[in-house]
Amino acid sequence: TVSAHQGVKIGRRSGGNIPRRLTMGLLAELGLHGMAKGFQELQAQPESRALEHADWLALLLERESTTRRQKRFENRARAAALRHNASIEDVDFKASRGLDRGLFLSLAGGDWIRQHRSLLITGPAGVGKSWLACALGQKACRDDVSVAYHRAPRLFATLAQARDEGRYARLLKALARVELLIIDDWGPEKLDDAQRRDLLELTEDRYERRATIITSQIPVDRWYEIIGNPTIADAIMDRIAHNAYRIELAGESLRKRQPEPPAAAPA
């Protein structure tokens, strides 16, 4: 055994070099896969031999940090199951749909998520509500925030099934833990009694504790109609709309702008 105070001894016969195989083995054993890959790359570059030991260490640590950040993002994105492969860098601010560039870029910064606020995105079909929500979700994943995406109809169906199978409380607890919950495509069908209770439970669990995005074709002032029961609607809307950011989009569907496929050449 080697005591903590003994340190590392380098024999004269090695010429002051620790065998590469040993180094790679230790890095792999410690789970430092980014450093291992960086070590291989530096070894293959002749100019790296002129670097000081501190420079080598800094480069390897930076590579390990980058690798771990990328791995965390990939895990977050996989768990989020976002509908669109969207990113804030690809948002089209030139489209005539009323998207406030300053507000959206401010939201991309993520402070509202850390403040546990809500974002309500409304507008007609095809103006990019879901895409914008997913772009913000993808940015949150990059910022190491847990995200879950659900289309409203499937979310209510999943909750109903969980209730029947005795998993309802566990599922609600899991949804409450997610730092950013995206409920996409809510409405226009009116909620039934079970769905109203589900939404009340969700909003109660998340109010001032977690951030939520809701998208809908229905304007916010008509959400009372979708919820149905006035008393429950007041309770839900107080939690959803209070202190929430709003993006209200308008205009024609962006899908109409997609280029037509080229016509087939005449036979």
Side-chain angles (χ1 to χ4, degrees), residues 9-30:
K9 297 181 180 180
I10 302 175
R12 293 181 180 178
R13 294 183 181 180
S14 68
N17 293 318
I18 300 176
R20 298 178 188 178
R21 196 183 327 178
L22 173 61
T23 299
M24 292 296 297
L26 289 172
L27 291 173
E29 180 182 337
L30 294 170

Side-chain angles (χ1 to χ4, degrees), residues 11 45 56 94 119 123 156 158 190 194 213 234 254 258 260:
Q45 300 173 12
W56 267 72
K94 296 180 180 179
L119 170 62
F156 288 127
T158 300
K190 185 175 291 188
I213 296 177
D234 282 338
L254 299 182
Q258 299 299 323
E260 295 292 332

Side-chain angles (χ1 to χ4, degrees), residues 5-253:
H5 67 273
Q6 282 184 284
V8 177
K9 297 181 180 180
I10 302 175
R12 293 181 180 178
R13 294 183 181 180
S14 68
N17 293 318
I18 300 176
R20 298 178 188 178
R21 196 183 327 178
L22 173 61
T23 299
M24 292 296 297
L26 289 172
L27 291 173
E29 180 182 337
L30 294 170
L32 301 174
H33 303 295
M35 291 185 72
K37 190 170 181 61
F39 181 78
Q40 288 180 314
E41 293 173 352
L42 283 173
Q43 285 283 348
Q45 300 173 12
E47 60 271 21
S48 67
R49 298 170 186 171
L51 295 175
E52 297 288 338
H53 294 307
D55 296 328
W56 267 72
L57 180 60
L59 289 170
L60 295 179
L61 288 172
E62 182 181 12
R63 182 59 181 271
E64 181 64 29
S65 177
T66 300
T67 299
R68 293 192 178 196
R69 283 198 305 270
Q70 180 63 24
K71 187 66 174 179
R72 286 197 301 271
F73 163 70
E74 292 171 357
N75 291 337
R76 296 285 194 196
R78 190 181 306 111
L82 297 170
R83 179 180 181 181
H84 300 287
N85 183 23
S87 67
I88 59 172
E89 290 81 7
D90 294 330
V91 173
D92 182 3
F93 293 105
K94 296 180 180 179
S96 299
R97 53 178 170 171
L99 179 60
D100 186 317
R101 180 189 183 99
L103 172 60
F104 187 83
L105 293 179
S106 175
L107 292 170
D111 286 342
W112 67 282
I113 298 176
R114 291 181 283 273
Q115 294 165 1
H116 309 145
R117 298 176 67 174
S118 297
L119 170 62
L120 314 179
I121 307 177
T122 58
V127 293
K129 302 181 298 297
S130 300
W131 200 94
L132 293 174
C134 288
L136 290 172
Q138 194 253 23
K139 177 57 165 57
C141 290
R142 283 156 54 183
D143 292 339
D144 207 18
V145 170
S146 62
V147 180
Y149 169 93
H150 294 276
R151 288 190 67 251
R154 293 184 181 178
L155 175 60
F156 288 127
T158 300
L159 287 166
Q161 182 178 357
R163 186 185 295 107
D164 293 339
E165 297 174 354
R167 300 182 291 105
Y168 185 71
R170 188 162 69 249
L171 178 55
L172 281 179
K173 187 175 181 179
L175 290 170
R177 284 198 301 263
V178 175
E179 293 171 278
L180 175 60
L181 175 64
I182 301 174
I183 303 176
D184 190 20
D185 202 20
W186 184 40
E189 296 81 8
K190 185 175 291 188
L191 302 182
D192 60 29
D193 289 339
Q195 291 170 340
R196 275 191 288 270
R197 291 195 299 271
D198 291 341
L199 187 57
L200 181 60
E201 291 291 342
L202 283 172
T203 54
E204 175 62 28
D205 285 343
R206 302 189 64 78
Y207 180 59
E208 295 188 339
R209 297 184 183 93
R210 295 289 188 267
T212 306
I213 296 177
I214 300 177
T215 78
S216 178
Q217 295 184 41
I218 309 302
V220 175
D221 58 9
R222 289 186 51 202
W223 287 9
Y224 286 89
E225 302 173 22
I226 301 175
I227 298 171
N229 182 298
T231 302
I232 297 180
D234 282 338
I236 291 173
M237 291 303 297
D238 181 63
R239 289 159 176 76
I240 288 177
H242 174 67
N243 210 21
Y245 288 98
R246 297 191 188 189
I247 295 178
E248 299 175 355
L249 303 175
E252 294 187 356
S253 172

